Amino acid sequence: MDAATQIRDPERSRKVLKQVGREVFAEYGFEGARTREIGARAALNKAMISYHFGGKQGLFTEILLEDIRGARARFSEAVGSGGSSAERLAAFVEALGRLAEERPLFLKMLSRELLDAGRHLEPEVEEEFFGFFGLVREVLVQGVARGEFRAVDPHATHIGLVGGLVWFALTAPLREHLEREGRSPAPSPTWAAYVKHYREFVLRGLASSDSPARESGGNA
Amino acid sequence: MDAATQIRDPERSRKVLKQVGREVFAEYGFEGARTREIGARAALNKAMISYHFGGKQGLFTEILLEDIRGARARFSEAVGSGGSSAERLAAFVEALGRLAEERPLFLKMLSRELLDAGRHLEPEVEEEFFGFFGLVREVLVQGVARGEFRAVDPHATHIGLVGGLVWFALTAPLREHLEREGRSPAPSPTWAAYVKHYREFVLRGLASSDSPARESGGNA
DNA sequence: GTCTATAGGCTGATAGAC
DNA sequence: GTCTATCAGCCTATAGAC
């Protein structure tokens, strides 16, 4: 029985611990996560967390660094630097939607850490994190400067824009819970449907009077 | 010294424990909150939590019941039942902004519980909670039915709408932290400025082609 | 590289003194 | 009504066997 766990493949152990760590940190937050739980789900002893990552904090840091860097790269590519501001903003909304759908644990981990006011972020992680969320501001400033968007405050717009997307991710567990019990007033939208709706909503909300500010895949 | 704490005013003790509980639960979540911390901040022994509320869970439940009921009453009054859907929606945005500004701890407590998928909500609290957040849906359905709003999905719209407002509240501590360290790219908007911006943004985003869907206090 | 055993410290709840 | 003392259980980290 324990022979099966004695695989002695350290790379695989590190990988499994990180993946399980994503699950447990997303579900319980840094302080609520139990190393015992991570060890058990990984079919490894919890002592392995200390051995491979130097402890709970080390595992947490390594997961976030890896995921945030990956996300930043994806977003930089998606938003790009050419095209209209509306196109770039739509690309951002779609990229965040895709990220949320493909990596729901990542957004949950980040959101929990935000509620914890970044208490468990080491400086290196903090820097990556702010760079990641600061990406869209440039697009908003550009759109306003070009007159493509109304003269909105980019800071306020940025917060509301991200909020609408992140909130969808944050409330997903509760919506699923409600639907499972048949207590939801209506079926929850899929990510694809939500992103389609939200892209249109945002571009209409920002459009200047003389610019429709919406195109890139017309819909019904 | 301990004579000062021997006030023997049970009503006052209950009140202080609830107020301090709001602070600690908002900051650490249900599981992260320490009864020792609540007792210390209340200048009472932690055993008093069990005496007055039957334990940590009892205090948590009583705080949420009280606050959610208060919020529901305020929102029902603010949104009302007459007037245009745009006016009612604007009233909702302003009421939520006011609530977030006046009771930031309440929104943080709720949001944390949302991330916990409602694990610590007793049935009675859960019911109040859903009624509270379900209030705005009726306005959206009405606006679409009247043709005042575009034919948006009320469920998706509801999520995005609330998200933009709650996110502003949730990220406030982090923004303040950044500004204190001079790492913020721009000064954070006040609640009043944000609500003004957001109301306009939302009404433009929802307006049907033949209806401006925005009035109620014209701005620049 | 992995496990077991244990250390050292913290938790929420509660019995009983006042 | 409030406090002190204490309990049983849990946590993370780590030393040492294999």
Side-chain angles (χ1 to χ4, degrees), chain A residues 8 13 45 51:
Chain A
R8 297 198 179 241
S13 291
N45 193 277
Y51 178 77

Side-chain angles (χ1 to χ4, degrees), chain A residues 137-150:
Chain A
R137 185 188 315 278
E138 183 255 319
V139 178
L140 293 171
V141 170
Q142 180 201 50
V144 170
R146 286 182 176 174
E148 249 187 281
F149 299 151
R150 294 185 293 121

Side-chain angles (χ1 to χ4, degrees), chain B residues 88-106:
Chain B
R88 297 180 72 205
L89 194 62
F92 172 82
V93 170
E94 276 153 21
L96 187 48
R98 228 165 19 244
L99 178 75
E101 190 168 19
E102 291 168 15
R103 307 215 196 290
L105 300 177
F106 172 52

Side-chain angles (χ1 to χ4, degrees), chain A residues 75-90:
Chain A
F75 273 68
S76 291
E77 194 187 6
V79 171
S81 56
S84 72
S85 298
E87 280 167 348
R88 298 180 70 203
L89 194 61

Side-chain angles (χ1 to χ4, degrees), chain B:
Chain B
M1 182 168 293
D2 55 354
T5 68
Q6 297 263 1
I7 305 172
R8 296 199 179 240
D9 180 346
E11 253 339 291
R12 184 183 170 282
S13 291
R14 288 179 59 90
K15 202 174 157 188
V16 171
L17 283 172
K18 279 193 284 185
Q19 186 50 35
V20 167
R22 286 183 179 94
E23 296 170 17
V24 177
F25 284 130
E27 193 167 348
Y28 300 103
F30 179 80
E31 283 162 29
R34 302 294 167 223
T35 54
R36 174 186 190 157
E37 173 85 5
I38 296 173
R41 290 200 200 180
L44 283 167
N45 193 279
K46 66 180 172 150
M48 287 298 94
I49 296 168
S50 292
Y51 178 79
H52 286 293
F53 302 97
K56 188 189 191 180
Q57 174 71 62
L59 175 60
F60 188 75
T61 297
E62 190 147 331
I63 290 172
L64 280 183
L65 262 187
E66 186 175 308
D67 289 354
I68 297 177
R69 282 178 177 151
R72 275 188 82 170
R74 287 173 56 157
F75 272 68
S76 292
E77 195 188 5
V79 172
S81 56
S84 72
S85 299
E87 280 167 347
R88 297 180 72 205
L89 194 62
F92 172 82
V93 170
E94 276 153 21
L96 187 48
R98 228 165 19 244
L99 178 75
E101 190 168 19
E102 291 168 15
R103 307 215 196 290
L105 300 177
F106 172 52
L107 274 195
K108 275 195 91 172
M109 267 185 82
L110 273 189
S111 301
R112 282 202 176 270
E113 200 43 36
L114 235 143
L115 275 169
D116 287 343
R119 273 196 288 271
H120 316 99
L121 297 183
E122 290 177 10
E124 199 181 356
V125 185
E126 223 183 13
E127 198 180 334
E128 288 285 343
F129 177 78
F130 296 141
F132 169 57
F133 268 112
L135 208 154
V136 75
R137 185 187 315 280
E138 184 254 318
V139 178
L140 293 171
V141 171
Q142 180 200 52
V144 171
R146 287 181 175 175
E148 247 187 283
F149 300 151
R150 294 184 293 123
V152 291
D153 171 14
H155 201 143
T157 307
H158 173 252
I159 296 166
L161 173 68
V162 172
L165 286 162
V166 173
W167 193 244
F168 186 82
L170 296 192
T171 54
L174 194 61
R175 288 198 309 277
E176 286 157 16
H177 177 69
L178 283 179
E179 280 181 36
R180 244 178 278 116
E181 294 189 358
R183 289 200 279 153
S184 181
S188 185
T190 62
W191 258 108
Y194 186 73
V195 165
K196 186 176 170 184
H197 154 83
Y198 198 67
R199 190 189 58 193
E200 182 74 11
F201 174 68
V202 164
L203 291 180
R204 282 177 179 261
L206 292 182
S208 60
S209 333
D210 53 312
S211 164
R214 49 187 188 279
E215 65 271 349
S216 68
N219 46 358

Side-chain angles (χ1 to χ4, degrees), chain A:
Chain A
M1 182 169 291
D2 56 353
T5 68
Q6 296 261 3
I7 306 171
R8 297 198 179 241
D9 180 345
E11 252 340 290
R12 184 183 170 284
S13 291
R14 288 179 60 91
K15 203 175 157 186
V16 172
L17 284 172
K18 278 193 286 185
Q19 186 49 36
V20 167
R22 286 183 179 93
E23 295 171 17
V24 178
F25 284 130
E27 193 167 349
Y28 299 103
F30 179 81
E31 283 162 28
R34 301 294 167 223
T35 54
R36 176 186 189 157
E37 173 84 5
I38 296 173
R41 290 200 200 179
L44 283 167
N45 193 277
K46 64 182 172 146
M48 287 298 95
I49 296 168
S50 292
Y51 178 77
H52 285 294
F53 302 97
K56 189 189 194 181
Q57 174 72 62
L59 175 61
F60 187 75
T61 298
E62 190 147 330
I63 290 171
L64 280 183
L65 262 188
E66 186 175 307
D67 289 354
I68 297 177
R69 283 180 178 151
R72 276 189 80 171
R74 287 173 57 154
F75 273 68
S76 291
E77 194 187 6
V79 171
S81 56
S84 72
S85 298
E87 280 167 348
R88 298 180 70 203
L89 194 61
F92 172 80
V93 170
E94 277 154 20
L96 189 48
R98 229 167 16 246
L99 178 75
E101 191 166 20
E102 291 168 17
R103 306 214 196 292
L105 301 177
F106 173 52
L107 271 195
K108 277 192 87 174
M109 267 185 82
L110 272 189
S111 302
R112 284 205 175 265
E113 199 44 34
L114 231 143
L115 277 171
D116 287 343
R119 273 197 287 272
H120 317 99
L121 298 183
E122 291 177 9
E124 199 180 355
V125 186
E126 220 183 15
E127 198 179 336
E128 289 284 343
F129 177 79
F130 295 140
F132 169 57
F133 268 111
L135 208 154
V136 76
R137 185 188 315 278
E138 183 255 319
V139 178
L140 293 171
V141 170
Q142 180 201 50
V144 170
R146 286 182 176 174
E148 249 187 281
F149 299 151
R150 294 185 293 121
V152 291
D153 172 14
H155 201 144
T157 307
H158 174 252
I159 296 165
L161 173 69
V162 172
L165 288 163
V166 174
W167 192 245
F168 186 82
L170 297 195
T171 54
L174 192 63
R175 287 199 310 276
E176 287 157 16
H177 177 69
L178 283 179
E179 281 183 34
R180 244 178 279 119
E181 294 189 0
R183 289 199 282 152
S184 182
S188 184
T190 62
W191 260 108
Y194 186 72
V195 164
K196 187 176 169 184
H197 154 83
Y198 198 67
R199 190 190 59 192
E200 182 73 11
F201 174 68
V202 165
L203 291 180
R204 281 176 180 262
L206 292 182
S208 59
S209 332
D210 52 313
S211 163
R214 49 186 187 282
E215 66 271 351
S216 68
N219 45 358

